[in-house]
Amino acid sequence: MSAALLAGGVDARADELHDILDCGPATLRALALRIEASAGDMELIYRETEIDEVWRWVDVGLGQAQHVRAAPAVIEHWRQLKAEVMRIHDLIGIDLDRDTAVQALRALATQLESAA
């Protein structure tokens, strides 16, 4: 087992692009760990790409909520989630503010856990 595999099987290797299979709290926390471990420009491009994938999953959730005509509060939840993920994306890709992005990802993960 690689030293980059942390307790719970979280893969913190920063030198690879990782598949993003959902937009849940565990995914957001793992992404935060990889952002912290990212040293070079290419690694940050990988993280930005992974955040793009989180955004796509959120967009799918929003689309499904709208399609089934979910309660307005549910649709608004997905809209706010989408906006926050885009803000985090920009923190990495535009502002180059890794620390704030990590904090925001962890806060978002906690928020999602509380809402569950």
Side-chain angles (χ1 to χ4, degrees):
M1 179 178 286
S2 168
L5 290 180
L6 304 177
V10 174
D11 190 345
R13 290 176 296 183
D15 61 344
E16 296 181 12
L17 182 61
H18 296 265
D19 292 330
I20 302 297
L21 304 177
D22 61 37
C23 57
T27 297
L28 300 178
R29 289 186 194 285
L31 183 50
L33 287 171
R34 288 193 298 273
I35 290 170
E36 285 180 322
S38 296
D41 291 344
M42 193 64 193
E43 292 173 358
L44 289 176
I45 291 170
Y46 291 160
R47 303 298 78 82
E48 188 177 4
T49 301
E50 291 169 5
I51 293 170
D52 287 343
E53 287 303 308
V54 170
W55 185 91
R56 284 182 184 86
W57 281 110
V58 171
D59 195 47
V60 167
L62 174 59
Q64 288 176 341
Q66 291 170 328
H67 178 74
V68 300
R69 299 179 195 269
V74 172
I75 292 172
E76 183 58 25
H77 163 79
W78 284 105
R79 283 186 178 137
Q80 289 177 4
L81 184 58
K82 187 175 177 181
E84 181 62 4
V85 170
M86 183 53 64
R87 184 181 81 83
I88 294 167
H89 173 275
D90 289 349
L91 286 168
I92 293 293
I94 296 172
D95 301 332
L96 305 175
D97 187 350
R98 296 187 316 166
D99 292 339
T100 303
V102 166
Q103 291 171 1
L105 280 167
R106 289 186 175 136
L108 189 55
T110 299
Q111 176 187 345
L112 291 175
E113 288 168 340
S114 298

